Structures are given as C-alpha cells and as structure tokens.
Amino acid sequence: MRIGYARVSTDEQDLAAQIDALQADGCDRIFTDKASGRAGVERAGLADAVGQLGSGDVLVVWSLDRLGRSLSQLVLLLDTLQGKSVEFRSLKESIDTGSAAGRLQVHMLAALAEFERARIAERTRAGLAAARKRGRVGGRPVKLTSTKLEAARQLLDDPDRPMPPADVARAVGVSRATLYRHIGSTAKVETTPSL
C-alpha cells in the first residue's frame, strides 16, 4: 500500500497541491496535518499514517521538509520506517529507499544529522568555556545568598533559642537540603525534628 502524508504549517496554507501530487503518484490513502509548525503541536496525521504502515508499504511525501522539522527528527522517522520494513519516497527530492541510490541518500542524511548534533555539542562546550573564562558559571542562580546564609547561621547558632533547621530553611526561602548543602558541618545544627 502507498500512503501519502501532506502537511502545512499554518491554517492559511493550502494542502491541495501536495494532495494532488500524492494522488498522481498513486497513493491509496493520504493523511494530513494543518498548522503543525508550532513547537509542541502534535502531528496526529503523521502518527496515524505511520501507524497504518506495514512491511512492504511505502510512505510518500511531497517534500522532505513536510515530514520533519529538523534533520535529526527526519532521520529518526526514517529509521523508524526502516525498522518496520517500510519504504520511503519524497517526490520533490526524488528520494526512493526502494533503490540503492535512495538508501544512499538516507545514509547521507543520517551522517549529516550526526554531524549537526556534534557541531551543536562543540558550540555549546565552546560557549561554556568562554563564559567560564569571563568568570560566568552556567546553571541556576544561587538561591541561598551570602546574606541569607549568614542569617541562617545566626538563627541556627543562637545560644539562647536555636531554631530548628526546617524552620530556618523556610525563613530564608530555601529547602532544608539546600540549607544543609551550604552550611555543611561547620554550623551547630539541632537535629531534633520540628513539629
């Protein structure tokens, strides 16, 4: 069976041209998605199309960019199809995994996706190293500032009336674990639980 998939990114765009091309290619069924270009928007039509595919079937799209939003997403989907023994055909790029040339093109896409992931990782590492060089450290901002830490220590070490750690943590606006992490074993902490 030949199953077609068509997608447009906005409600204003029209699926007609893609559907006409898929029908002309002999698709038995065509699944569609509209306005699926936004992040977090599920592509139910694509999920339904992939769910209908079985061994020996062919998934046909007008263009590669209709199938995946990124190269790595596209390669992941093509790998899923291959695992189901499903062939893939893209009309615009003339990719057909039923041929040796088509399979080579898919392998080249996979290599490019791996290269893209490696380059992103390299840029991230370089950016973090440059930030560290300038004295900036990544991660979340510190919740327990030096002023709050000093206040916490005074509350915990008060000789007349020490406050339980849970109450101190609540008073300075952090969790008990954060408080313990910052005060370590240097403070005299009363270990009796608070009620």
Side-chain angles (χ1 to χ4, degrees), residues 20-33:
D20 289 347
L22 295 171
Q23 286 173 338
D25 194 62
C27 289
D28 303 303
R29 291 187 70 186
I30 298 174
F31 294 85
T32 63
D33 281 316

Side-chain angles (χ1 to χ4, degrees), residues 41-132:
V41 174
E42 292 300 316
R43 295 184 291 165
L46 180 59
D48 290 343
V50 172
Q52 291 292 311
L53 292 164
S55 179
D57 291 342
V58 181
L59 177 65
V60 184
V61 295
W62 162 243
S63 173
L64 284 175
D65 65 347
R66 301 297 84 200
L67 191 60
R69 293 187 187 110
S70 68
L71 183 57
S72 55
Q73 187 182 55
L74 176 64
V75 168
L76 184 64
L77 183 55
L78 292 175
D79 191 45
T80 300
L81 296 176
Q82 184 180 14
K84 293 177 75 167
S85 299
V86 171
E87 300 295 335
F88 171 73
R89 182 166 157 73
S90 175
L91 302 176
K92 189 175 177 186
E93 291 85 7
S94 299
I95 296 175
D96 184 350
T97 60
S99 69
R103 287 190 294 277
L104 174 63
Q105 287 173 301
V106 170
H107 288 296
M108 289 170 59
L109 287 174
L112 287 171
E114 178 60 33
F115 176 73
E116 178 184 43
R117 283 190 295 272
R119 291 290 296 149
I120 289 169
E122 284 175 6
R123 286 193 299 268
T124 301
R125 283 192 297 273
L128 290 171
R132 276 193 296 277

Side-chain angles (χ1 to χ4, degrees), residues 143-190:
K143 281 189 88 175
L144 189 58
T145 63
S146 57
T147 306
K148 286 183 178 182
L149 181 59
E150 183 56 36
R153 283 198 170 117
Q154 287 176 2
L155 291 170
L156 289 166
D157 295 338
D158 186 340
D160 297 326
R161 201 167 148 204
M163 190 182 276
D167 294 342
V168 172
R170 205 172 8 263
V172 296
V174 298
S175 70
R176 216 172 1 168
T178 299
L179 179 65
Y180 286 137
R181 190 170 47 253
H182 282 80
I183 62 172
S185 59
T186 59
K188 298 171 190 153
V189 178
E190 183 183 302

